[in-house]
Amino acid sequence: MTRNPKPKPQAQRPMEQLLKPSEAALFLGVHANTLRSWRAAGTGPRFVQHTGRTIRYRISDLLDHREDAAA
């Protein structure tokens, strides 16, 4: 008889609202084209790419970017 170990509890990350690039730009106070340039350069806030053309931003990633830019 083999023992089945109990799975370790995983931290539950609350569902976070995803913003469109235009909403994220407004949140950061920059133009949407600035976000596009940052993505192309590999800089700027982290983003989520659902499909080839669908880009979204987590609010927590935008806040992290804002803190890093202020430092």
Side-chain angles (χ1 to χ4, degrees):
M1 179 184 223
T2 60
R3 275 180 73 185
N4 292 335
K6 289 185 179 181
K8 294 180 181 179
Q10 295 182 358
Q12 292 290 325
R13 187 172 182 178
M15 275 302 262
E16 191 170 357
Q17 183 179 359
L18 297 175
L19 301 179
K20 296 177 185 178
S22 58
E23 297 167 330
L26 185 63
F27 184 87
L28 291 176
V30 298
H31 195 276
N33 289 342
T34 301
L35 287 176
R36 184 179 298 124
S37 296
W38 287 345
R39 284 195 309 269
T43 60
R46 293 178 58 187
F47 60 91
V48 178
Q49 189 167 4
H50 288 285
T51 65
R53 299 185 73 182
T54 305
I55 302 291
R56 297 291 183 262
Y57 292 89
R58 291 184 185 97
I59 293 175
S60 61
D61 291 334
L62 297 175
L63 291 171
D64 289 345
H65 175 74
R66 185 186 286 173
E67 288 176 11
D68 291 344

Coordinates of all heavy atoms in Angstrom, one line a residue:
M1 N 0.8 -1.2 0.0 CA 0.0 0.0 0.0 C 0.9 1.2 0.0 O 1.8 1.4 0.8 CB -0.9 0.0 1.2 CG -1.8 1.2 1.3 SD -2.7 1.1 2.9 CE -4.2 1.5 2.4
T2 N 0.7 2.1 -0.9 CA 1.5 3.4 -1.0 C 0.7 4.5 -0.4 O -0.5 4.5 -0.4 CB 1.8 3.7 -2.5 OG1 0.6 3.9 -3.2 CG2 2.6 2.6 -3.2
R3 N 1.5 5.4 0.2 CA 0.9 6.6 0.8 C 0.7 7.7 -0.2 O 1.7 7.9 -1.0 CB 1.7 7.1 2.0 CG 1.5 6.4 3.3 CD 2.3 6.9 4.3 NE 1.9 8.2 4.8 CZ 2.5 9.0 5.7 NH1 3.6 8.5 6.2 NH2 2.1 10.1 6.0
N4 N -0.4 8.3 -0.2 CA -0.6 9.5 -1.1 C -0.4 10.7 -0.3 O -1.2 11.0 0.6 CB -2.0 9.5 -1.7 CG -2.1 8.3 -2.7 OD1 -1.2 7.9 -3.3 ND2 -3.4 7.9 -2.9
P5 N 0.7 11.4 -0.5 CA 0.9 12.7 0.3 C -0.2 13.7 0.0 O -0.7 13.8 -1.2 CB 2.3 13.2 -0.1 CG 2.5 12.6 -1.5 CD 1.7 11.3 -1.5
K6 N -0.6 14.4 1.0 CA -1.5 15.5 0.8 C -0.9 16.6 0.0 O 0.3 16.9 0.2 CB -2.0 16.1 2.1 CG -2.9 15.1 2.9 CD -3.4 15.8 4.1 CE -4.3 14.9 4.9 NZ -4.8 15.6 6.1
P7 N -1.6 17.1 -1.0 CA -1.1 18.3 -1.8 C -0.9 19.5 -0.8 O -1.7 19.7 0.0 CB -2.1 18.5 -2.8 CG -3.4 17.9 -2.3 CD -3.0 16.8 -1.4
K8 N 0.2 20.2 -1.1 CA 0.5 21.4 -0.3 C -0.5 22.5 -0.7 O -0.8 22.6 -1.9 CB 1.9 21.8 -0.6 CG 3.0 20.9 -0.1 CD 4.4 21.4 -0.3 CE 5.4 20.4 0.2 NZ 6.7 20.9 -0.1
P9 N -1.0 23.2 0.3 CA -1.9 24.3 -0.1 C -1.1 25.4 -0.9 O 0.0 25.7 -0.5 CB -2.4 24.8 1.2 CG -1.4 24.3 2.2 CD -0.8 23.1 1.7
Q10 N -1.7 25.8 -1.9 CA -1.1 26.9 -2.7 C -1.7 28.2 -2.4 O -2.9 28.3 -2.1 CB -1.3 26.6 -4.2 CG -0.6 25.3 -4.7 CD -0.7 25.1 -6.1 OE1 -1.4 25.8 -6.8 NE2 -0.1 24.0 -6.6
A11 N -0.9 29.2 -2.4 CA -1.4 30.6 -2.1 C -2.4 30.9 -3.2 O -2.2 30.8 -4.4 CB -0.3 31.6 -2.1
Q12 N -3.6 31.4 -2.8 CA -4.6 31.8 -3.7 C -4.4 33.3 -4.0 O -4.4 34.1 -3.2 CB -6.0 31.6 -3.0 CG -6.4 30.2 -2.8 CD -6.6 29.5 -4.1 OE1 -7.1 30.1 -5.1 NE2 -6.3 28.2 -4.2
R13 N -4.2 33.5 -5.3 CA -4.0 34.9 -5.8 C -5.4 35.4 -6.2 O -6.1 34.8 -7.0 CB -3.1 35.0 -6.9 CG -2.7 36.3 -7.4 CD -1.7 36.3 -8.4 NE -1.3 37.7 -8.8 CZ -0.4 38.0 -9.6 NH1 0.3 37.1 -10.2 NH2 -0.1 39.2 -9.9
P14 N -5.8 36.5 -5.6 CA -7.2 37.0 -5.9 C -7.2 37.4 -7.4 O -6.3 37.8 -8.0 CB -7.4 38.2 -5.0 CG -6.0 38.6 -4.7 CD -5.2 37.4 -4.7
M15 N -8.4 37.2 -8.0 CA -8.6 37.6 -9.4 C -8.3 39.1 -9.5 O -8.8 39.9 -8.6 CB -10.1 37.4 -9.8 CG -10.3 36.0 -10.3 SD -9.3 35.6 -11.7 CE -10.3 35.9 -13.0
E16 N -7.5 39.4 -10.4 CA -7.1 40.8 -10.5 C -7.7 41.4 -11.9 O -7.6 40.7 -12.9 CB -5.6 41.0 -10.5 CG -5.1 42.3 -10.4 CD -3.7 42.4 -10.1 OE1 -3.0 41.4 -9.9 OE2 -3.1 43.5 -10.0
Q17 N -8.2 42.6 -11.8 CA -8.7 43.2 -13.0 C -7.6 43.4 -14.0 O -6.5 43.9 -13.7 CB -9.4 44.5 -12.7 CG -10.0 45.2 -13.9 CD -10.7 46.5 -13.5 OE1 -10.7 46.8 -12.3 NE2 -11.3 47.1 -14.4
L18 N -7.8 43.1 -15.3 CA -6.9 43.4 -16.4 C -7.3 44.6 -17.1 O -8.5 44.7 -17.5 CB -6.8 42.2 -17.3 CG -6.3 40.9 -16.7 CD1 -6.4 39.7 -17.7 CD2 -4.9 41.0 -16.2
L19 N -6.4 45.5 -17.4 CA -6.7 46.7 -18.1 C -6.3 46.6 -19.6 O -5.2 46.1 -19.9 CB -6.0 47.9 -17.4 CG -6.3 48.2 -16.0 CD1 -5.5 49.4 -15.5 CD2 -7.8 48.4 -15.8
K20 N -7.0 47.3 -20.4 CA -6.6 47.4 -21.8 C -5.5 48.4 -21.9 O -5.3 49.2 -21.0 CB -7.8 48.0 -22.7 CG -9.0 47.0 -22.7 CD -10.1 47.7 -23.5 CE -11.3 46.9 -23.5 NZ -12.4 47.5 -24.2
P21 N -4.7 48.4 -22.9 CA -3.5 49.3 -23.0 C -4.0 50.8 -22.9 O -3.3 51.6 -22.2 CB -2.9 49.0 -24.4 CG -3.3 47.6 -24.7 CD -4.6 47.4 -24.0
S22 N -5.1 51.2 -23.5 CA -5.5 52.5 -23.3 C -5.9 52.9 -21.9 O -5.6 54.0 -21.4 CB -6.8 52.8 -24.2 OG -7.8 51.9 -23.9
E23 N -6.4 51.9 -21.1 CA -6.8 52.1 -19.7 C -5.5 52.2 -18.9 O -5.4 53.0 -18.0 CB -7.7 51.0 -19.2 CG -9.0 51.0 -19.9 CD -9.8 49.7 -19.6 OE1 -9.2 48.7 -19.4 OE2 -11.1 49.8 -19.6
A24 N -4.5 51.3 -19.2 CA -3.3 51.3 -18.5 C -2.5 52.6 -18.7 O -1.9 53.1 -17.8 CB -2.4 50.1 -18.9
A25 N -2.5 53.1 -20.0 CA -1.8 54.3 -20.3 C -2.4 55.5 -19.5 O -1.7 56.3 -18.9 CB -1.9 54.6 -21.8
L26 N -3.7 55.5 -19.4 CA -4.4 56.5 -18.6 C -4.0 56.4 -17.1 O -3.8 57.4 -16.4 CB -5.9 56.4 -18.7 CG -6.8 57.5 -18.1 CD1 -6.5 58.8 -18.7 CD2 -8.3 57.1 -18.2
F27 N -4.0 55.2 -16.6 CA -3.6 54.9 -15.2 C -2.2 55.4 -14.9 O -1.9 56.0 -13.9 CB -3.7 53.4 -15.0 CG -3.4 53.0 -13.6 CD1 -4.4 52.9 -12.6 CD2 -2.1 52.6 -13.2 CE1 -4.2 52.5 -11.3 CE2 -1.9 52.2 -11.9 CZ -2.9 52.1 -10.9
L28 N -1.3 55.2 -15.9 CA 0.1 55.7 -15.7 C 0.4 57.1 -16.1 O 1.4 57.7 -15.8 CB 1.1 54.7 -16.5 CG 1.2 53.3 -16.0 CD1 2.1 52.5 -17.0 CD2 1.8 53.2 -14.6
G29 N -0.6 57.7 -16.8 CA -0.4 59.1 -17.3 C 0.5 59.2 -18.5 O 1.2 60.2 -18.6
V30 N 0.5 58.2 -19.3 CA 1.3 58.2 -20.5 C 0.4 57.9 -21.7 O -0.8 57.5 -21.5 CB 2.5 57.2 -20.5 CG1 3.4 57.5 -19.4 CG2 1.9 55.8 -20.4
H31 N 0.9 58.1 -22.9 CA 0.1 57.8 -24.1 C 0.2 56.3 -24.4 O 1.1 55.7 -24.1 CB 0.7 58.6 -25.3 CG -0.2 58.7 -26.5 ND1 -0.3 57.7 -27.4 CD2 -1.1 59.6 -26.8 CE1 -1.2 58.0 -28.3 NE2 -1.7 59.2 -28.0
A32 N -0.9 55.8 -25.0 CA -0.9 54.4 -25.3 C 0.2 54.0 -26.3 O 0.8 52.8 -26.2 CB -2.2 54.0 -26.0
N33 N 0.7 54.9 -27.1 CA 1.8 54.6 -28.0 C 3.1 54.4 -27.2 O 4.0 53.7 -27.6 CB 2.0 55.7 -29.0 CG 1.0 55.7 -30.1 OD1 0.3 54.6 -30.2 ND2 0.8 56.8 -30.8
T34 N 3.2 55.1 -26.0 CA 4.4 54.9 -25.1 C 4.4 53.5 -24.6 O 5.5 52.8 -24.6 CB 4.3 55.9 -24.0 OG1 4.3 57.2 -24.5 CG2 5.5 55.7 -23.0
L35 N 3.3 52.9 -24.2 CA 3.2 51.5 -23.8 C 3.6 50.6 -24.9 O 4.4 49.6 -24.7 CB 1.8 51.2 -23.3 CG 1.4 51.7 -22.0 CD1 0.0 51.3 -21.6 CD2 2.3 51.2 -20.8
R36 N 3.2 50.9 -26.1 CA 3.5 50.1 -27.3 C 5.1 50.1 -27.5 O 5.7 49.1 -27.8 CB 2.8 50.6 -28.5 CG 3.0 49.7 -29.8 CD 2.3 50.2 -31.0 NE 0.8 50.1 -30.7 CZ 0.0 51.2 -30.9 NH1 0.5 52.4 -31.2 NH2 -1.3 51.1 -30.6
S37 N 5.6 51.3 -27.4 CA 7.1 51.4 -27.6 C 7.8 50.7 -26.5 O 8.9 50.0 -26.8 CB 7.5 52.9 -27.5 OG 6.9 53.6 -28.6
W38 N 7.4 50.8 -25.2 CA 8.0 50.0 -24.1 C 7.9 48.5 -24.4 O 8.9 47.8 -24.1 CB 7.3 50.4 -22.8 CG 7.7 51.8 -22.3 CD1 8.7 52.6 -22.7 CD2 7.0 52.5 -21.3 NE1 8.6 53.8 -22.0 CE2 7.6 53.7 -21.1 CE3 5.9 52.2 -20.5 CZ2 7.2 54.6 -20.2 CZ3 5.5 53.1 -19.5 CH2 6.1 54.3 -19.4
R39 N 6.8 48.0 -24.8 CA 6.7 46.6 -25.1 C 7.7 46.2 -26.2 O 8.3 45.1 -26.0 CB 5.3 46.2 -25.6 CG 4.3 46.2 -24.5 CD 3.0 45.5 -24.9 NE 2.4 46.0 -26.1 CZ 1.5 47.0 -26.2 NH1 1.1 47.6 -25.1 NH2 1.0 47.3 -27.4
A40 N 7.8 47.0 -27.2 CA 8.7 46.6 -28.3 C 10.2 46.7 -27.9 O 11.0 45.8 -28.3 CB 8.5 47.6 -29.5
A41 N 10.5 47.6 -26.9 CA 11.8 47.7 -26.4 C 12.1 46.7 -25.3 O 13.3 46.5 -24.9 CB 12.1 49.1 -25.9
G42 N 11.1 46.0 -24.8 CA 11.3 45.1 -23.7 C 11.4 45.8 -22.3 O 11.9 45.2 -21.4
T43 N 10.9 47.0 -22.3 CA 10.9 47.7 -21.0 C 9.5 48.0 -20.6 O 8.6 47.5 -21.2 CB 11.7 49.1 -21.2 OG1 11.1 49.9 -22.2 CG2 13.1 48.8 -21.6
G44 N 9.3 48.8 -19.6 CA 8.0 49.2 -19.1 C 7.4 48.1 -18.3 O 8.0 47.1 -17.8
P45 N 6.1 48.3 -18.0 CA 5.4 47.3 -17.1 C 5.2 46.0 -17.7 O 5.1 45.8 -18.9 CB 4.1 48.0 -16.8 CG 3.8 48.9 -17.9 CD 5.2 49.3 -18.4
R46 N 5.1 44.9 -16.9 CA 4.8 43.6 -17.3 C 3.4 43.6 -17.9 O 2.6 44.4 -17.5 CB 4.9 42.6 -16.2 CG 6.3 42.4 -15.7 CD 6.3 41.4 -14.5 NE 5.8 40.2 -15.0 CZ 5.5 39.1 -14.2 NH1 5.8 39.2 -12.9 NH2 5.0 38.0 -14.7
F47 N 3.2 42.7 -18.9 CA 1.9 42.6 -19.5 C 1.5 41.2 -19.7 O 2.3 40.3 -19.7 CB 1.8 43.5 -20.8 CG 2.8 43.0 -21.8 CD1 2.4 42.1 -22.8 CD2 4.1 43.5 -21.9 CE1 3.3 41.6 -23.7 CE2 5.0 43.1 -22.8 CZ 4.6 42.2 -23.8
V48 N 0.2 41.0 -20.0 CA -0.3 39.6 -20.3 C -0.7 39.6 -21.8 O -1.4 40.5 -22.2 CB -1.5 39.3 -19.4 CG1 -2.0 37.9 -19.7 CG2 -1.1 39.4 -17.9
Q49 N -0.3 38.6 -22.5 CA -0.7 38.5 -23.9 C -1.6 37.3 -24.0 O -1.1 36.2 -24.1 CB 0.5 38.4 -24.8 CG 0.2 38.5 -26.3 CD 1.4 38.7 -27.1 OE1 2.5 38.7 -26.6 NE2 1.2 38.9 -28.4
H50 N -2.9 37.5 -24.1 CA -3.9 36.4 -24.2 C -3.8 35.8 -25.6 O -3.8 34.5 -25.7 CB -5.3 36.9 -24.0 CG -5.6 37.3 -22.5 ND1 -5.7 36.3 -21.6 CD2 -5.7 38.5 -21.9 CE1 -5.9 36.9 -20.4 NE2 -5.9 38.2 -20.6
T51 N -3.8 36.5 -26.6 CA -3.7 36.0 -28.0 C -2.7 36.9 -28.7 O -2.0 37.7 -28.1 CB -5.1 36.2 -28.7 OG1 -5.4 37.5 -28.9 CG2 -6.2 35.4 -28.0
G52 N -2.5 36.6 -29.9 CA -1.5 37.4 -30.7 C -1.6 38.9 -30.6 O -0.7 39.6 -30.7
R53 N -2.9 39.3 -30.5 CA -3.1 40.8 -30.6 C -3.8 41.3 -29.3 O -4.0 42.5 -29.3 CB -4.0 41.0 -31.8 CG -3.4 40.6 -33.1 CD -4.2 41.0 -34.3 NE -4.2 42.4 -34.4 CZ -4.8 43.1 -35.3 NH1 -5.6 42.5 -36.2 NH2 -4.7 44.4 -35.4
T54 N -4.1 40.5 -28.3 CA -4.7 41.0 -27.1 C -3.7 41.2 -26.0 O -3.2 40.2 -25.5 CB -5.8 40.0 -26.7 OG1 -6.7 39.8 -27.8 CG2 -6.6 40.6 -25.5
I55 N -3.5 42.4 -25.6 CA -2.6 42.8 -24.6 C -3.4 43.3 -23.4 O -4.3 44.1 -23.6 CB -1.6 43.9 -25.0 CG1 -0.8 43.4 -26.3 CG2 -0.7 44.3 -23.9 CD1 0.2 42.3 -26.0
R56 N -3.0 42.9 -22.2 CA -3.7 43.4 -21.0 C -2.6 43.6 -19.9 O -1.6 43.0 -19.9 CB -4.7 42.4 -20.4 CG -5.9 42.2 -21.4 CD -6.8 43.4 -21.5 NE -7.9 43.2 -22.4 CZ -8.0 43.5 -23.6 NH1 -7.0 44.1 -24.3 NH2 -9.1 43.3 -24.3
Y57 N -2.9 44.5 -19.0 CA -2.0 44.9 -17.9 C -2.7 44.6 -16.6 O -3.9 45.0 -16.4 CB -1.6 46.4 -18.0 CG -0.8 46.7 -19.2 CD1 -1.3 47.0 -20.4 CD2 0.6 46.6 -19.1 CE1 -0.5 47.3 -21.5 CE2 1.4 46.9 -20.2 CZ 0.9 47.3 -21.4 OH 1.7 47.6 -22.4
R58 N -2.0 44.0 -15.6 CA -2.5 43.9 -14.3 C -2.2 45.2 -13.5 O -1.1 45.8 -13.7 CB -1.8 42.7 -13.5 CG -2.1 41.4 -14.1 CD -1.4 40.3 -13.2 NE -1.6 39.0 -13.7 CZ -0.8 38.4 -14.5 NH1 0.4 38.9 -14.8 NH2 -1.1 37.2 -15.0
I59 N -3.1 45.6 -12.7 CA -2.9 46.8 -11.9 C -1.7 46.7 -11.0 O -0.9 47.6 -10.9 CB -4.2 47.1 -11.1 CG1 -5.3 47.5 -12.1 CG2 -3.9 48.3 -10.1 CD1 -6.7 47.7 -11.4
S60 N -1.5 45.5 -10.4 CA -0.3 45.3 -9.5 C 1.0 45.5 -10.3 O 2.0 46.1 -9.8 CB -0.3 44.0 -8.9 OG -0.3 42.9 -9.8
D61 N 1.0 45.1 -11.6 CA 2.2 45.3 -12.4 C 2.4 46.8 -12.7 O 3.6 47.3 -12.8 CB 2.2 44.5 -13.7 CG 2.3 43.0 -13.4 OD1 2.9 42.6 -12.4 OD2 1.8 42.2 -14.2
L62 N 1.3 47.5 -13.0 CA 1.4 48.9 -13.2 C 1.9 49.7 -12.0 O 2.7 50.6 -12.1 CB 0.1 49.5 -13.7 CG -0.5 48.9 -15.0 CD1 -1.9 49.4 -15.2 CD2 0.4 49.2 -16.1
L63 N 1.4 49.3 -10.8 CA 1.9 49.9 -9.6 C 3.4 49.6 -9.3 O 4.1 50.5 -8.9 CB 1.1 49.4 -8.4 CG -0.4 49.9 -8.4 CD1 -1.2 49.2 -7.3 CD2 -0.5 51.4 -8.2
D64 N 3.8 48.4 -9.6 CA 5.2 48.0 -9.5 C 6.1 48.9 -10.4 O 7.1 49.4 -10.0 CB 5.5 46.6 -9.8 CG 4.9 45.6 -8.7 OD1 4.6 46.1 -7.6 OD2 4.8 44.4 -9.0
H65 N 5.6 49.0 -11.6 CA 6.4 49.9 -12.6 C 6.5 51.3 -12.1 O 7.5 51.9 -12.3 CB 5.7 49.8 -14.0 CG 6.4 50.7 -15.0 ND1 7.6 50.4 -15.5 CD2 6.0 51.9 -15.5 CE1 7.9 51.4 -16.4 NE2 6.9 52.3 -16.4
R66 N 5.4 51.8 -11.6 CA 5.3 53.2 -11.2 C 6.3 53.4 -10.0 O 7.1 54.4 -10.0 CB 3.9 53.6 -10.7 CG 3.8 55.0 -10.3 CD 2.5 55.3 -9.7 NE 1.4 55.4 -10.7 CZ 0.2 55.5 -10.5 NH1 -0.3 55.5 -9.2 NH2 -0.7 55.5 -11.4
E67 N 6.4 52.4 -9.1 CA 7.4 52.5 -8.0 C 8.8 52.4 -8.5 O 9.6 53.1 -8.0 CB 7.1 51.4 -7.0 CG 5.8 51.5 -6.2 CD 5.5 50.3 -5.3 OE1 6.4 49.5 -5.1 OE2 4.4 50.3 -4.7
D68 N 9.1 51.5 -9.4 CA 10.4 51.4 -10.0 C 10.9 52.6 -10.7 O 12.0 53.0 -10.6 CB 10.5 50.2 -10.9 CG 10.3 48.9 -10.2 OD1 10.5 48.8 -9.0 OD2 10.1 47.8 -10.9
A69 N 9.9 53.3 -11.4 CA 10.3 54.5 -12.1 C 10.5 55.7 -11.2 O 11.3 56.5 -11.5 CB 9.1 54.9 -13.1
A70 N 9.9 55.6 -10.0 CA 10.1 56.7 -9.1 C 11.4 56.6 -8.3 O 11.9 57.5 -7.8 CB 8.9 56.8 -8.1
A71 N 11.9 55.4 -8.3 CA 13.1 55.1 -7.5 C 14.4 55.6 -8.2 O 14.5 56.0 -9.2 CB 13.3 53.6 -7.2

